[in-house]
Amino acid sequence: MAGVVSCWSFLGFGYLILFLCINPYGCVGSNNKVQVSLYYESLCPYCANFIVNHLVKLFQNGLISTVDLRLVPWGNASPNPDGSISCQHGVDECLLNTIEACTITVYPDVNRHFRFIHCVERLSLQNRHNEWQNCFQISGLGTVPIDCYNTGYGNVIEHRYGNETAMLKPAHRFVPWVIVNNKPIQEDYINFMAYICKAYKETSKPEACNSVSYESNINELNDQKVDSIPQLYYWCNNLIPNKVVEAYDEKQKDSKMVSQKVNVGVYYEALNPSCSSFIVKNLAQIFDNGLHTIINLRLVPWGNAYFLNNSTNTTVCQNGSDECKLNTLQACTINVLHDVNKHFALIYCFEFLAIEGRHKEWGSCFTSLGLPPKLVLDCFNSLNGTLDYRNYSSYICKAYKGNKVPRACQ
């Protein structure tokens, strides 16, 4: 009976915290502090890297004293009708999202719960996330968040985080998604401290702001454009417009622009359920309805992969070695079969098998489509499919039409 009383006391305490904080951009703190919210998910390499190597600097340089920092571990998760949650990186992500949500609730002091979250995300970067329970001892916290998880209350917190994330305006397009004083800084999240210093309105700026540098040369490109043709770039797990034709400027039909096509780039990765579903159920429609005739479609099978060792071209993929293999096979397919109708048909087959859990049968796609596999396999075995990604900077520099050449291209 004592255990039951303790559980309900904890739940009541949790609900008090939860319902006092319903602002989608975080609870309002001291008037002179900058409000910063981080929307993220566990086991996301980019989120973990941001937390471990960048966000932590707030605590190292003292800038945290000027910030109300709020962490929201949900990201691209989605609720199911039965009350369960599906996560982009599987059940381990759902577990860690919930544990981190419980830790934030049980230990509302950001200095305390950030130590724990930093520890978990550091283990994630080291592929040791299964050791997450050690972080309670490392961060000097108790294990009450595990009780929060086991009672199911963590699921309640997570659903509220999910509702909050869904209410973001504009909607988040990726994670990590950083908001400073109600304004998302989008792709520029690495420079979050510069935004904090700019948003801080006190007369005396924090000393840490004197050493904050902007980690990009993007300002040099503000008055230039790479291409004047309309561009669309889609990431997995975003809301995809039903009709790409919306990007086609009808007003240009009677002008010289009529011959120009819409450039559509799809950046994805193999064995990602959301990517596979989009390719098979949505993207394929442009070939069925003829919309592909006004589109320059470019498929880029890389996603969240990264080079672990530049000298050996060792690649690490979010969904393991099978993803790396399929990414490279698809890159080779695109490189060898230049006709988009041909290489899309093969990629469609690969992704269809992935949805059915039969991705290891990818070789059958060549037979079913009547395509010879030799050229694609020769490319794969020679590593050309991987090496081409390393030259992406040269492609960007070659396509750039501005007068002022960026330093990276010199």
Side-chain angles (χ1 to χ4, degrees):
M1 181 63 69
V4 174
V5 173
S6 174
C7 175
W8 281 105
S9 297
F10 168 72
L11 288 177
F13 173 71
Y15 275 113
L16 177 62
I17 292 176
L18 199 59
F19 287 102
L20 283 176
C21 184
I22 58 176
N23 183 343
Y25 294 108
C27 298
V28 176
S30 304
N31 291 333
N32 64 335
K33 287 193 173 185
V34 179
Q35 309 299 309
V36 178
S37 297
L38 169 63
Y39 293 82
Y40 72 103
E41 63 193 15
S42 295
L43 301 188
C44 163
Y46 296 102
C47 297
N49 178 64
F50 176 67
I51 290 170
V52 172
N53 296 316
H54 298 279
L55 191 61
V56 68
K57 294 177 182 177
L58 285 179
F59 299 85
Q60 295 170 341
N61 62 18
L63 200 56
I64 188 64
S65 63
T66 68
V67 171
D68 278 328
L69 175 63
R70 189 159 180 272
L71 305 175
V72 183
W74 175 266
N76 294 315
S78 58
N80 298 318
D82 63 358
S84 62
I85 299 171
S86 294
C87 296
Q88 183 174 346
H89 306 284
V91 293
D92 282 357
E93 180 203 319
C94 284
L95 166 65
L96 292 177
N97 282 350
T98 308
I99 288 293
E100 293 186 8
C102 283
T103 302
I104 293 167
T105 301
V106 174
Y107 300 103
D109 181 348
V110 69
N111 292 281
R112 303 186 75 187
H113 66 243
F114 182 81
R115 285 200 302 270
F116 175 82
I117 291 171
H118 180 273
C119 176
V120 173
E121 298 304 321
R122 179 173 53 81
L123 290 176
S124 174
L125 286 178
Q126 298 171 350
N127 293 319
R128 297 166 52 207
H129 63 272
N130 289 329
E131 302 173 25
W132 61 269
Q133 293 192 51
N134 294 336
C135 290
F136 288 113
Q137 182 177 359
I138 293 171
S139 59
L141 301 181
T143 59
V144 176
I146 296 179
D147 297 331
C148 165
Y149 175 85
N150 289 334
T151 61
Y153 181 56
N155 187 269
V156 175
I157 303 172
E158 271 294 275
H159 274 88
R160 183 157 290 274
Y161 280 158
N163 291 335
E164 176 183 327
T165 303
M167 290 169 59
L168 291 174
K169 295 186 183 302
H172 83 288
R173 296 185 292 110
F174 52 83
V175 287
W177 188 256
V178 180
I179 294 175
V180 177
N181 275 1
N182 293 352
K183 295 181 180 179
I185 58 178
Q186 307 201 44
E187 286 88 352
D188 207 22
Y189 62 86
I190 290 296
N191 295 302
F192 73 102
M193 285 195 291
Y195 286 88
I196 291 172
C197 291
K198 183 177 180 180
Y200 190 67
K201 300 304 181 184
E202 292 295 302
T203 304
S204 178
K205 290 284 185 181
E207 184 177 347
C209 290
N210 296 329
S211 59
V212 169
S213 60
Y214 196 83
E215 300 180 24
S216 172
N217 293 326
I218 196 168
N219 283 341
E220 297 180 4
L221 309 181
N222 281 344
D223 58 346
Q224 302 288 348
K225 293 184 179 179
V226 172
D227 201 330
S228 60
I229 300 176
Q231 304 277 341
L232 294 180
Y233 295 101
Y234 294 154
W235 285 262
C236 294
N237 304 306
N238 290 344
L239 297 176
I240 306 298
N242 290 328
K243 295 182 179 180
V244 179
V245 73
E246 293 174 2
Y248 187 70
D249 191 351
E250 294 291 338
K251 296 180 181 179
Q252 303 292 340
K253 280 189 174 181
D254 297 326
S255 72
K256 63 181 180 180
M257 291 286 288
V258 70
S259 63
Q260 293 184 337
K261 292 185 176 182
V262 179
N263 290 331
V264 178
V266 180
Y267 293 76
Y268 70 103
E269 62 193 10
L271 300 188
N272 180 310
S274 298
C275 296
S276 297
S277 177
F278 172 65
I279 290 171
V280 172
K281 298 178 181 179
N282 300 96
L283 190 60
Q285 292 178 13
I286 68 173
F287 294 88
D288 296 333
N289 60 23
L291 202 56
H292 68 287
T293 59
I294 65 166
I295 291 173
N296 286 321
L297 176 62
R298 185 164 183 266
L299 302 173
V300 184
W302 178 261
N304 293 315
Y306 61 93
F307 283 108
L308 182 64
N309 188 317
N310 287 332
S311 61
T312 61
N313 302 317
T314 303
T315 306
V316 176
C317 296
Q318 184 168 268
N319 300 297
S321 58
D322 281 355
E323 180 205 318
C324 286
K325 181 175 183 177
L326 288 172
N327 282 349
T328 307
L329 281 168
Q330 294 189 28
C332 284
T333 298
I334 295 166
N335 187 52
V336 172
L337 304 175
H338 300 291
D339 183 346
V340 68
N341 294 279
K342 290 184 178 180
H343 68 240
F344 181 80
L346 194 57
I347 289 172
Y348 176 96
C349 182
F350 288 159
E351 296 302 322
F352 180 83
L353 291 177
I355 290 176
E356 294 195 334
R358 298 163 50 209
H359 64 273
K360 293 184 182 296
E361 301 175 23
W362 57 265
S364 64
C365 291
F366 291 98
T367 303
S368 63
L369 293 171
L371 295 173
K374 185 178 185 304
L375 291 177
V376 174
L377 295 181
D378 286 347
C379 166
F380 175 82
N381 292 327
S382 68
L383 294 180
N384 283 339
T386 301
L387 291 174
D388 192 54
Y389 285 116
R390 300 193 61 196
N391 297 319
Y392 76 97
S393 294
S394 64
Y395 290 109
I396 294 173
C397 293
K398 184 177 180 180
Y400 182 63
K401 305 302 182 184
N403 295 324
K404 186 177 181 181
V405 179
R407 284 196 295 269
C409 295
Q410 295 174 357

